[in-house]
Amino acid sequence: MPYTTRRRLVTSAVALALGATALAACGSESGDSDTESGPVSLTYWTWTPGMDKVVDLWNKGPGKKDRITVTVKKQASGDTLVTKILTAHKAGKAPDLVQAEYQALPTLVSNDALADISKNVGDAKDSFADGVWQQTTLGTDAVYAVPQDIGPMMFYYREDLFKEYGLTVPTTWDEFAETARKLKKAAPDKDLTTFSANDSGLFAGLAQQAGAKWWTTSGDQWKVSIDDAATQKVAKFWGGLVKEGAIDNQPMYTPAWNKALNTGKQIAWVSAVWAPGTLTTAAPATKGKWAMAPLPQWSADENRTGSWGGSSTAVTTDSKHQEAAAEFATWLNTDGDALNALAKESGIYPAAKNAQTSGAFLKPPAYFSHQADFYSKAADIAETTAPSAWGPNVNVAYTTFKDAFGAAAKNKSDFGAALEKMQADTVADMKKQGFEVAE
């Protein structure tokens, strides 16, 4: 992934610590041209399916009134899009608006690719849970994007098999471990769930729930704490269950995993609000047999969840119409009609609180048609989303996770050593790229 010079990166690290004022000094202050006469045309890079139909509502409604027209350009997602944005920005040709996953925001900000739109989003903050909004501010007074969709984590389980084996839905992780052991004793051929090393976002979300803050800034330096106490606790917990054979150690999203869910070999899944869509494909024979509950907690008096997935709408520093772009981004992610269209056309779970229990979310997903309170419960869980702390090289940390934890899970070896490897590789890469990293 391309980066700018060491000087720019260090300056941006200071900006992340000091907030919008410092960032403005880096040259990210809006250079708006919205006061010019005539219509404004904006380009929006996004991977969300059906987004063109949602944007049509803007172009025919509020956008038409304000003479702001938005054109959707479909893109790939993940690191591919981040690289494309940075390449375009280096040439001064990034689009006006981009869809960005929350963990990608620090990389884009560090490269001075995203504008601070805090002066142009009004009271949009009130539409989102604090932990969700924080992901677009990076803990500063600046605002680098408007939240679009989120993936609050929760616990899914086979209601019928829990009853058959006399299992109680765990409310704490200690209870979760005991439930796994009880099931294994009663039915040795079954597993409560699996630890999968092929999706780094799951582990990151679990660490987030435990209170981890993997990247922070200290003065003019970055501090990397991937191996902090909270994450060590999570790694030790899951590594212990794998080592003793209480749960499976195979990756998710494989034919074998699908079969395990569909046949009842695995009877629970730690996932996110989007799980019904995955289960519909992976385990069609078990429709109507699953239920959803809040994620187990580390102590009985806690009530928070992690986030697995989600994205935002950001305005680039290359845009000549940043105020207009911010107006559209706010409308897209807070307007009732826009949110209903996003749910219908794009199948997203909206970040905006008022949309999580209205429109398309008045009824449960078809796979969970028997759980009438599915979305009202999901909204309550989403409100408890813990703050996150992303950094400028999440891609490196995630790659090392898949390699190191993948080997540890397969061999049932020490997850702590895998976590140390993840920390070391992330720090080494940041130094190589020219970041100042606190020891």
Side-chain angles (χ1 to χ4, degrees):
M1 187 175 295
Y3 292 97
T4 53
T5 65
R6 179 180 183 280
R7 176 178 176 275
R8 168 61 68 189
L9 293 169
V10 173
T11 304
S12 293
V14 176
L16 291 175
L18 299 182
T21 302
L23 188 64
C26 295
S28 296
E29 188 72 41
S30 171
D32 229 341
S33 302
D34 293 336
T35 55
E36 66 185 52
S37 59
V40 171
S41 296
L42 306 174
T43 300
Y44 178 25
W45 283 4
T46 174
W47 67 83
T48 298
M51 184 61 78
D52 51 341
K53 295 180 181 178
V54 181
V55 171
D56 278 347
L57 295 178
W58 168 267
N59 289 333
K60 297 174 181 177
K64 182 177 181 181
K65 178 185 66 177
D66 295 336
R67 296 193 298 171
I68 301 171
T69 302
V70 178
T71 299
V72 170
K73 297 291 186 181
K74 286 294 182 65
Q75 306 293 326
S77 59
D79 290 343
T80 300
L81 179 56
V82 173
T83 299
K84 185 173 182 179
I85 293 169
L86 294 179
T87 301
H89 171 62
K90 187 175 181 179
K93 296 181 179 179
D96 301 278
L97 296 135
V98 295
Q99 182 177 1
E101 293 177 293
Y102 297 113
Q103 67 266 26
L105 292 176
T107 297
L108 296 172
V109 171
S110 292
N111 283 272
D112 200 27
L114 299 187
D116 172 13
I117 55 175
S118 56
K119 296 179 180 178
N120 306 125
V121 294
D123 57 358
K125 176 182 178 180
D126 298 337
S127 297
F128 307 97
D130 290 342
V132 173
W133 183 255
Q134 177 267 345
Q135 294 197 87
T136 66
T137 68
L138 308 186
T140 73
D141 293 329
V143 176
Y144 297 109
V146 180
Q148 181 165 298
D149 61 301
I150 56 174
M153 296 176 66
M154 44 203 66
F155 180 69
Y156 293 87
Y157 63 100
R158 279 285 298 273
E159 200 168 23
D160 57 333
L161 295 180
F162 262 57
K163 183 177 181 180
E164 179 179 338
Y165 293 109
L167 305 177
T168 302
V169 178
T171 59
T172 67
W173 287 114
D174 283 343
E175 291 177 2
F176 178 93
E178 287 306 313
T179 301
R181 296 179 184 118
K182 184 176 180 179
L183 173 65
K184 182 59 68 173
K185 185 176 180 179
D189 63 326
K190 296 185 183 296
D191 294 290
L192 181 64
T193 191
T194 186
F195 177 85
S196 172
N198 67 348
D199 198 315
S200 317
L202 171 58
F203 184 75
L206 291 170
Q208 177 188 349
Q209 184 212 21
K213 295 189 182 302
W214 285 358
W215 286 269
T216 55
T217 53
S218 177
D220 62 352
Q221 296 180 315
W222 282 94
K223 184 176 182 181
V224 183
S225 302
I226 291 175
D227 61 349
D228 63 6
T231 311
Q232 288 176 12
K233 178 171 63 175
V234 173
K236 182 180 179 180
F237 175 82
W238 288 94
L241 290 178
V242 168
K243 187 174 183 178
E244 70 176 87
I247 61 173
D248 198 8
N249 62 344
Q250 299 303 306
M252 300 181 298
Y253 308 122
T254 64
W257 180 74
N258 290 348
K259 183 178 180 180
L261 293 179
N262 204 37
T263 60
K265 185 180 184 301
Q266 283 185 27
I267 69 170
W269 184 25
V270 175
S271 189
V273 70
W274 41 259
T278 301
L279 289 171
T280 298
T281 301
T286 61
K287 177 181 178 181
K289 297 180 179 180
W290 291 76
M292 179 270 283
L295 206 62
Q297 303 293 311
W298 285 104
S299 63
D301 60 348
E302 291 180 344
N303 182 26
R304 60 186 177 188
T305 193
S307 184
W308 184 5
S311 63
S312 63
T313 309
V315 177
T316 71
T317 51
D318 290 343
S319 175
K320 293 181 173 60
H321 307 287
Q322 292 176 17
E323 184 178 344
E327 181 183 343
F328 167 77
T330 302
W331 171 86
L332 178 65
N333 300 305
T334 62
D335 178 82
D337 291 338
L339 292 167
N340 284 334
L342 279 171
K344 178 182 177 182
E345 303 294 344
S346 307
I348 72 162
Y349 183 74
K353 294 182 292 184
N354 67 325
Q356 293 167 2
T357 54
S358 63
F361 303 101
L362 289 172
K363 296 181 179 180
Y367 195 89
F368 285 80
S369 58
H370 59 290
Q371 190 170 359
D373 66 346
F374 183 95
Y375 281 124
S376 60
K377 182 176 290 188
D380 290 340
I381 294 171
E383 183 71 24
T384 70
T385 301
S388 64
W390 301 112
N393 64 338
V394 174
N395 60 321
V396 172
Y398 274 16
T399 297
T400 301
F401 170 83
K402 292 178 182 178
D403 294 339
F405 277 82
K410 181 179 180 180
N411 300 326
K412 297 187 178 182
S413 59
D414 184 15
F415 277 27
L419 188 61
E420 291 174 4
K421 173 69 171 172
M422 192 176 169
Q423 166 81 12
D425 283 7
T426 304
V427 170
D429 175 75
M430 290 186 70
K431 291 181 176 179
K432 180 181 178 181
Q433 297 298 338
F435 288 90
E436 289 284 343
V437 181
E439 296 297 336

